[in-house]
Amino acid sequence: MVLNRVRAVFFDLDNTLIDTAGASRKGMLEVIKLLQSKYHYKEEAETICDKVQVKLSKECFHPSSTCITDLRTLHWEEAIQETKGGAANRKLAEECYFLWKSTRLQHMILAEDVKAMLTELRKEVRLLLLTNGDRQTQREKIEACACQSYFDAIVVGGEQKEEKPAPSIFYYCCDLLGVQPGDCVMVGDTLETDIQGGLNAGLKATVWINKNGIMPLKSSPMPHYIVSSVLELPSLLQNIDCTVSMSA
């Protein structure tokens, strides 16, 4: 009998299971087309989208004080005003935001090979989706990529007291599945949240999805394993279990 085998895998969503960054880029391209064709903007269209991208990357969202729709519409409003000058144009900002958002959601797809991998894995271990972010935004993505049926449980950081990398959200996930932290593996693309969180909570292993082959900073948390695609996970899990079996 193998002692302490992997019993559960926690997956991040964005840029781990779905290509959120690619979907966002497609959304921006649609907005550029709109601004150029309907409003006759030239290079300002790209400048506006670049500014919004920066605002999104620095976004601080507090659900108690605003809603995500208002906040993100404001990103567009500010970017347009910073680029074009003049009075704020809320109507155009809303048009840009909703076009970007709807295009982005259309391209948030769970690929067939990822679906097949999740289906096979779930025959052996319990699967949980653990995603940080605003409740509305993340639930819309989950709905768009139709991933609910592949998981035993789904946990959205914005619905909890704390998000990754806080250990509490990982313990909550363990309780949901009836497992111990030492039974679980965390898989994600972000060292500061997915990997640091898994380490903080004392999970059996952390797996970093490093699609671009970048070298982490020396100060970054060190994952137990690094893969370039989530599809490498099944063979890696077998190795983790074999290692456990040998040491047992």
Side-chain angles (χ1 to χ4, degrees):
M1 177 184 157
V2 176
L3 297 176
N4 202 19
R5 284 186 60 167
V6 174
R7 293 182 59 205
V9 180
F10 302 164
F11 283 94
D12 172 54
L13 178 63
D14 293 301
N15 303 308
T16 295
L17 294 176
I18 59 173
D19 183 12
T20 306
S24 289
R25 281 193 297 273
K26 285 173 178 155
M28 292 295 183
L29 289 172
E30 287 303 311
V31 175
I32 289 169
K33 277 193 236 168
L34 169 82
L35 291 172
Q36 290 176 340
S37 61
K38 186 174 173 183
Y39 295 99
H40 310 297
Y41 286 22
K42 295 188 172 65
E43 60 279 355
E44 308 104 315
E46 288 187 33
T47 305
I48 288 164
C49 287
D50 288 344
K51 283 179 181 290
V52 170
Q53 196 60 56
V54 171
K55 290 174 193 293
L56 286 166
S57 69
K58 295 177 177 174
E59 187 174 83
C60 286
F61 176 62
H62 302 289
S64 56
S65 57
T66 184
C67 79
I68 197 74
T69 300
D70 288 344
L71 179 65
R72 292 190 167 170
T73 303
L74 185 63
H75 293 335
W76 287 96
E77 194 175 313
E78 289 174 349
I80 293 163
Q81 199 168 16
E82 286 162 15
T83 306
K84 295 288 284 180
N89 190 338
R90 180 77 178 185
K91 193 163 178 296
L92 178 57
E94 287 175 348
E95 190 176 359
C96 292
Y97 168 63
F98 286 111
L99 176 61
W100 170 76
K101 177 182 161 176
S102 62
T103 305
R104 188 168 94 125
L105 285 172
Q106 281 165 23
H107 288 94
M108 287 188 180
I109 296 159
L110 207 56
E112 291 304 319
D113 50 6
V114 174
K115 288 180 187 174
M117 176 199 71
L118 293 172
T119 302
E120 285 306 304
L121 276 182
R122 202 167 169 204
K123 294 173 183 173
E124 305 291 329
V125 296
R126 308 204 70 191
L127 302 185
L128 181 140
L129 184 68
L130 175 55
T131 175
N132 273 5
D134 161 60
R135 177 184 187 280
Q136 179 190 330
T137 306
Q138 296 311 102
R139 288 289 172 187
E140 284 172 349
K141 290 176 189 171
I142 290 162
E143 195 74 30
C145 72
C147 65
Q148 301 96 318
S149 61
Y150 295 92
F151 293 94
D152 295 289
I154 293 175
V155 176
V156 175
E159 297 172 356
Q160 303 298 317
K161 286 185 180 136
E162 296 181 293
E163 295 192 308
K164 299 177 284 186
S168 64
I169 196 165
F170 289 88
Y171 301 151
Y172 173 73
C173 294
C174 290
D175 289 346
L176 275 182
L177 298 185
V179 294
Q180 296 297 315
D183 300 327
C184 305
V185 174
M186 177 69 211
V187 182
D189 70 304
T190 309
L191 289 168
E192 297 74 19
T193 53
D194 302 315
I195 304 309
Q196 187 64 65
L199 296 170
N200 290 349
L203 300 195
K204 176 189 277 303
T206 54
V207 181
W208 183 39
I209 312 287
N210 182 9
K211 287 179 189 167
N212 305 317
I214 55 171
M215 281 297 293
L217 298 169
K218 281 201 169 68
S219 58
S220 296
M222 277 305 296
H224 296 89
Y225 302 95
I226 302 175
V227 294
S228 60
S229 162
V230 75
L231 297 172
E232 296 171 49
L233 191 66
S235 56
L236 177 59
L237 287 176
Q238 285 184 329
N239 288 343
I240 295 173
D241 275 340
C242 284
T243 309
V244 170
S245 178
M246 295 293 285
S247 61

